[in-house]
Amino acid sequence: MLERYRHAKAMEEATRNTVFRAGVQPHWQADGSSFWYRNVLKDSVLEYIYVQPFAKKKQAAFDHMKLAEALGRVTGRTLDGRRLRISRMELGKSSVALEIDSACYRCDLGKYTCAVADSFPGRRYPRGNFRRSRWQGFSTDRISPDKKWTAFIRDGNVFIRPAGSDASDGEHAVIASAPDNNSATNTAAVQYTHNGTKEKPYGALAWSPDSRYVVGYHINPVEDSSVFYILTSASGTRGQLRSHPYKQPGDPFTTYEMHIFPVGATGAVKVNTEIIDFFDAPRLHWRAGDSRYFTYEKVDRGHQRFRIIEVDTETATSKTLLDERTETFIYESRIFTEYLPETNEILWSSEKDGWRHLYLVDGITGKVKNPVTSGPWVVRQIDSVDKKKREVWFRASGMHAGEDPYFVHYYRIGLDGKGLVELTPAKGHHTVTFSPDKEYYTDTYSQVDIPPVTALHRTQDGKKIMELEKADASAFFATGMRPVESFVAKGRDGKTDIWGVVCRPSDFDPAKKYPVIENIYAGPQDAFVPKSFMGSFSEMQSMAELGFIVVQIDGMGTANRSKAFHDVCWKNLADAGFPDRILWIKALAAKYPYIDTARVGLYGTSAGGQNALGGLLFHPDFYKAAVASCGCHDNRVDKQWWNEQWMGYPVGRHYEEQSNVTNAGKLRGHLLLIVGESDTNVPPESTYRVINALIKAEKSFDFLPVPGMGHSDGGPYGRIKKRDFFVKHLLGVDPPQRNAGEL
């Protein structure tokens, strides 16, 4: 066993930095028509490549040795041409501007001479995150769009005054939009409300585009209660008590009562619509060319209803344009809406047909004009919407029959649902980076056992221009590492494919019997089994080296499959996909006789910690040992936004019935609990409440609290104890005696 520990450490060292040319991060030049990227080669050698897509040309960006010599002459330092660390670079026909160690230089690539530059001439293209918040928040601009009025809050009440007159103390900002031509007729500030207070102020103001109205809210703020923890090893002789606000399931939200403040009037008009009692004040979407109407989005608490509501500012009335309801849940953070004001349309995502797809909605009537995408596959993410060409660019998975349904591919399609173009047809899991003008893109794709390939494509038709790089993993496999295996088996319904991966020891012997350890995380917010090339010495592989088969599985209840697949989690987090996971491991054992299903353990962190302990509590006949780190063991104790999304609202008996605390007395098998004492994600008390219940039930278990550590698997020491725990309880061998110097 000692030799196995030493071998695992040696393999970690031997496999470090053994995969080369594994990806391309293009740095597009200021003209947007060319880019450079950097390759990391053996012994940390760096190689810079310059690509001109229009010319189908790829070459070394410069003579690395000559450039190092030229830079050395101007810096007075000896630079290694094989390891130049260039952070930014702009290439010309015969020159280059570059930045190294925060210093800028301009170099002639004909004569290879360099001079210090005051600044870098190029520009960086920002990486956009297309997802927009549906909540306005409180960061606003006080001036009206036509620059003639100022709206502000004083002593909790709303005032409007002509712009240019004296400002008042206590003014807060308001949102600005497009200009118009209203004019100020006097210089006095008009007070619109009188019942605002410090405790219940008005706020979150927003101007209409024509500067005729301000929309705002009478706010009833809620201050979240705190959770507490103690830093036992802080400086001094006393522990330090710490706290932070933390909203738990069932806790109240700040509420917003919508009002309209017409310019030229003397009072507020309450909008005939529901008080907003979940999330923040919504972002407003004004109808193009007609500022009489705006819409906002509302998610009801409990995550079972989503609406787009229209408000008529002249009558202060509202009506529902779009209303989606479910018997289970609507995944709020994956609701996508894009407003097309020029055509009064809305692009909207929904799982109403059983799969997440896009729909084009009439922004006036709220009726669906047409599905944009459809079929037994999932839209994973929106990259952009081209309003002029009326196209949406998106990522999806599950469209390729016979392929892992989690592999992400990139597409574009017309808003009429026609003209689907696949940009990444090659088999594998894809990551695409577009040029700033989207004329070209780089596509890097791989599988868990197949190293990455990066190609350059033309966006117009998806045509491949050239292969840029093919990863070299020969040195990685030369160490004796075995490829990770992707394995699929049927789930609890006998029909649905369940996907996972398998890690084996590098000295694997099929004649032996191996215990199984599952790395579990069943959080419904995503899927978690790796899909890209696993060409590094992972935590799973490190444990496998000690004599285990280590697996990871996405069971039912996780995301990125059908709505029915996902719905298994609804008010049912204790399920954690265990019926599918157990069948998967048994199917693996049926194929490979060296799998020992009499010795199965599992480990996880956070929701995975909850799942790990849940395996012992709810499936003790299968799982024999578990390491649970920082677990959210009781969904009433964990964060509101995550738990209510899956467990629902109001908080019912099912919360208690599925709690690891409530069920702690059912414990069989071997358990190690780990918690960081300064965990601000999941309150440490979640683990301590389990411990309290275990003690009352007179159960045996191991416990590792880590002073000063936050939300973690226990860090390096926690991982040591996890390995030792499974070695003892699944292999039946005493772990190394570190105090005796055995390791």
Side-chain angles (χ1 to χ4, degrees), residues 87-104:
S87 54
R88 289 200 286 168
M89 180 164 60
E90 190 74 25
L91 286 151
K93 290 183 178 180
S94 59
S95 64
V96 62
L98 50 85
E99 182 180 83
I100 297 180
D101 297 332
S102 300
C104 301

Side-chain angles (χ1 to χ4, degrees), residues 213 258 260 269-272 286-287 290-295 309-319:
Y213 302 98
M258 184 181 289
I260 295 172
V269 182
K270 181 180 176 299
V271 177
N272 182 22
W286 294 87
R287 187 183 294 182
D290 187 355
S291 294
R292 175 175 174 175
Y293 302 96
F294 67 84
T295 61
I309 298 171
E310 180 184 83
V311 173
D312 183 336
T313 57
E314 291 191 6
T315 64
T317 58
S318 66
K319 68 176 183 179

Side-chain angles (χ1 to χ4, degrees), residues 62-285:
F62 42 76
D63 185 309
H64 291 58
M65 297 304 176
K66 288 184 178 180
L67 183 63
E69 292 174 3
L71 287 168
R73 288 193 294 270
V74 73
T75 62
R77 295 185 295 151
T78 300
L79 299 177
D80 185 348
R82 301 173 302 164
R83 297 178 178 84
L84 291 172
R85 294 204 166 270
I86 300 172
S87 54
R88 289 200 286 168
M89 180 164 60
E90 190 74 25
L91 286 151
K93 290 183 178 180
S94 59
S95 64
V96 62
L98 50 85
E99 182 180 83
I100 297 180
D101 297 332
S102 300
C104 301
Y105 306 92
R106 287 186 177 87
C107 300
D108 185 316
L109 295 181
K111 301 176 182 178
Y112 276 93
T113 57
C114 294
V116 176
D118 294 332
S119 62
F120 186 79
R123 60 189 177 97
R124 291 177 176 173
Y125 290 100
R127 287 187 177 184
N129 181 0
F130 190 70
R131 173 168 163 74
R132 297 181 177 92
S133 172
R134 69 185 97 263
W135 319 119
Q136 173 183 305
F138 295 91
S139 179
T140 55
D141 187 318
R142 68 180 65 179
I143 305 297
S144 64
D146 63 5
K147 311 301 181 187
K148 296 179 179 179
W149 302 96
T150 297
F152 61 95
I153 304 295
R154 184 196 298 158
D155 298 327
N157 287 293
V158 177
F159 293 76
I160 299 178
R161 63 171 174 78
S165 57
D166 291 339
S168 301
D169 292 339
E171 289 183 11
H172 298 303
V174 267
I175 281 184
S177 301
D180 196 80
N181 296 313
N182 287 346
S183 61
T185 57
N186 58 68
T187 59
V190 176
Q191 183 171 354
Y192 279 74
T193 65
H194 297 82
N195 61 335
T197 63
K198 181 179 180 181
E199 292 74 25
K200 289 188 64 175
Y202 285 82
L205 305 179
W207 278 100
S208 64
D210 62 5
S211 302
R212 294 177 59 201
Y213 302 98
V214 173
V215 180
Y217 304 86
H218 197 187
I219 304 171
N220 185 11
V222 168
E223 184 175 342
D224 291 336
S225 298
S226 295
V227 293
F228 299 86
Y229 58 94
I230 295 175
L231 295 180
T232 59
S233 299
S235 60
T237 58
R238 293 175 172 84
Q240 296 180 5
L241 178 65
R242 299 291 172 85
S243 67
H244 58 99
Y246 193 91
K247 194 184 293 294
Q248 293 178 327
D251 285 354
F253 275 78
T254 293
T255 62
Y256 301 85
E257 184 179 64
M258 184 181 289
H259 289 74
I260 295 172
F261 312 103
V263 174
T266 58
V269 182
K270 181 180 176 299
V271 177
N272 182 22
T273 192
E274 297 175 24
I275 289 178
I276 296 164
D277 59 358
F278 191 47
F279 295 128
D280 292 327
R283 186 174 299 278
L284 308 184
H285 302 272

